Amino acid sequence: MDARIVGWGHTKFGVHRDKSLEALIQQAASEAIKSAGLTPNDIDAIWLGHFNNSMVPDAFAASLVLGMDDGLRFKPATRVENACASGSAAVYAARNAIRAGDARCVLVIGVEKMTELDTKGVTAALAGASYSAEEAGVSFPLIFGRIAAGYFDAFGDQSEPLARIAVKNHENALSNPLAHLQREVTFDFCNEVSEKNPMIAAPLRLTDCSLISDGAAALVMVADDMTADFDHVAGFRAAVQLNDFLPMSRRDMTELTAARRTFETAYEMAGITVDDLDLAEVHDCFTIAELMIYEAMGLAEKGKGASLVTEGATLRGGRLPINLSGGLKAKGHPVGATGVSMHVLTAQQVTGQAGGVQLEGAELACVFNMGGSGVANYCSILEAVR
């Protein structure tokens, strides 16, 4: 028994001053249930991916979706948190319930409302996803700035490739109406430090950093023996979670070691190599993360990821298009929503339902969602069932 994705919903990512956390949850959930052609009564159980850490006062958010419809009353609802991979953690927990026979039709929601706080407040909240005994007071821009600086020291200045990754993802977001920032940026702008593109955490500039966003995404999964009733069905060829040590001091930060092992395990489970993939959505919380993920997924040797950027290998039409949605860099990164969003948009791709973002002929695709500084790693290989 396995789970199949049969419906999805997705709010626009951005600044939602007029919508509460509850409203975002219910909008995405309602869209997902309707997309599947189901009713709330059909849902057996609910999982919610939500990081929060005081970005909003709703510390007990799992049951907020029940207010959407009386048909959801008395359904078990559970909040799941695993830093920036909270959304994927919720997807995996729900899938496992179906595989175990505990549920046959599940609703998964990922949500975050980040703009209630100012940038300083959001930065402090996100810092809670690091190792407080050694990294307390170190923001995630500073953490990834340190990672980038170490990578630069080992393999040379990567400023130009990082700028080109930012340009690529902003260009991709122009085709995605759900993206937070639909604005074209030039290589010269991204590659130069300026008043509008300041250095945030050397060597990372503002254009190397993902966005502070509000938003929600949701999907419906059913047991695989139920799929005859649905028009568009995506299945898991593989789904792998691996966690690494939390302290950065215990890891070689010139590579994403646990990410590499997660990809390798997923490929083995799926019976494929990286060359079999048609596209990938990966966790570009910072441009240096996307560059290092290229190497973790086996597209390039360690320290050689920049060659893929130079060749245009990860562009639409390249060897492996990456982050056609715009990625976290331009689509946005409402933390708890990110992993669910990745699974939604990738399921849409392999079933031919991705609209203006659709890659023609996409049949096999990868999702890679990461929590913390390469600590929680989730890799899904999705394919169309119908």
Side-chain angles (χ1 to χ4, degrees):
M1 182 72 68
D2 205 346
R4 299 286 187 257
I5 300 170
V6 297
W8 39 69
H10 201 300
T11 72
K12 181 176 174 59
F13 284 1
V15 179
H16 289 291
R17 302 288 188 201
D18 60 335
K19 291 182 180 178
S20 65
L21 187 81
E22 181 177 17
L24 291 169
I25 288 170
Q26 293 184 8
Q27 178 183 337
S30 177
E31 288 179 9
I33 294 170
K34 183 177 180 181
S35 166
L38 298 172
T39 71
N41 287 303
D42 297 314
I43 302 299
D44 295 326
I46 303 156
W47 279 263
L48 175 73
H50 185 216
F51 176 66
N52 196 2
N53 198 25
S54 300
M55 285 189 282
V56 293
D58 304 279
F60 183 38
S63 290
L64 288 177
V65 68
L66 271 61
M68 181 185 82
D69 189 282
D70 286 357
L72 293 176
R73 192 180 185 191
F74 308 125
K75 309 289 186 178
T78 305
R79 173 183 170 240
V80 180
E81 184 276 312
N82 215 358
C84 298
S86 296
S88 288
V91 172
Y92 280 33
R95 174 177 178 252
N96 285 340
I98 289 178
R99 296 174 77 200
D102 291 335
R104 291 181 55 77
C105 181
V106 299
L107 173 64
V108 183
I109 311 152
V111 69
E112 211 72 61
K113 189 163 173 62
M114 305 175 74
T115 64
E116 294 291 294
L117 300 181
D118 59 16
T119 300
K120 183 178 179 180
V122 171
T123 301
L126 295 179
S130 58
Y131 184 55
S132 60
E134 295 179 3
E135 299 156 16
V138 182
S139 69
F140 262 83
L142 283 171
I143 282 174
F144 276 89
R146 290 180 181 179
I147 293 171
Y151 189 95
F152 282 26
D153 287 344
F155 306 114
D157 190 334
Q158 308 291 315
S159 298
E160 290 192 10
L162 297 190
R164 295 192 187 281
I165 288 171
V167 170
K168 168 185 71 73
N169 290 348
H170 278 280
E171 182 176 351
N172 287 342
L174 294 174
S175 300
N176 182 5
L178 300 172
H180 183 162
L181 194 58
Q182 292 180 286
R183 182 188 306 161
E184 187 174 6
V185 294
T186 66
F187 168 73
D188 287 342
F189 175 77
C190 292
N191 196 44
E192 295 175 1
V193 176
S194 65
E195 183 179 349
K196 291 186 176 181
N197 188 29
M199 191 70 75
I200 298 298
L204 300 179
R205 303 145 296 196
L206 180 63
T207 50
D208 292 310
C209 306
S210 59
L211 301 170
I212 294 171
S213 307
D214 305 329
L219 55 82
V220 172
M221 291 189 290
V222 300
D224 53 16
D225 61 359
M226 297 172 61
T227 56
D229 297 329
F230 301 94
D231 294 332
H232 307 293
V233 183
F236 291 85
R237 180 82 72 90
V240 176
Q241 177 200 353
L242 297 178
N243 275 47
D244 207 344
F245 296 124
L246 186 57
M248 292 172 62
S249 62
R250 296 199 64 182
R251 294 178 277 138
D252 174 5
M253 296 310 302
T254 64
E255 66 174 23
L256 297 172
T257 308
R260 174 176 53 79
R261 291 176 66 93
T262 306
F263 278 110
E264 290 171 352
T265 305
Y267 297 155
E268 182 179 1
M269 183 181 294
I272 65 168
T273 71
V274 67
D275 294 326
D276 294 311
L277 294 172
D278 296 314
L279 73 148
E281 285 287 321
V282 307
H283 196 94
D284 60 319
C285 49
F286 298 88
T287 53
I288 185 63
E290 180 166 328
L291 184 71
M292 294 172 72
I293 289 168
Y294 295 166
E295 298 167 15
M297 68 193 307
L299 283 173
E301 295 179 4
K302 182 177 177 178
K304 303 292 186 182
S307 64
L308 298 167
V309 181
T310 303
E311 297 164 10
T314 60
L315 299 174
R316 179 181 286 272
R319 173 184 167 192
L320 181 63
I322 289 183
N323 287 336
L324 291 176
S325 69
L328 285 59
K329 177 68 197 73
K331 181 186 66 176
H333 183 28
V335 176
T338 290
V340 181
S341 169
M342 288 174 155
H343 282 84
V344 165
L345 298 179
T346 303
Q348 288 178 331
Q349 284 282 0
V350 297
T351 57
Q353 302 299 305
V357 189
Q358 183 68 50
L359 179 70
E360 186 176 354
E363 297 179 352
L364 193 66
C366 176
V367 169
F368 178 71
N369 185 202
M370 182 171 72
S373 56
V375 176
N377 301 269
Y378 293 79
C379 182
S380 301
I381 310 293
L382 299 185
E383 62 183 349
V385 175
R386 182 166 54 262

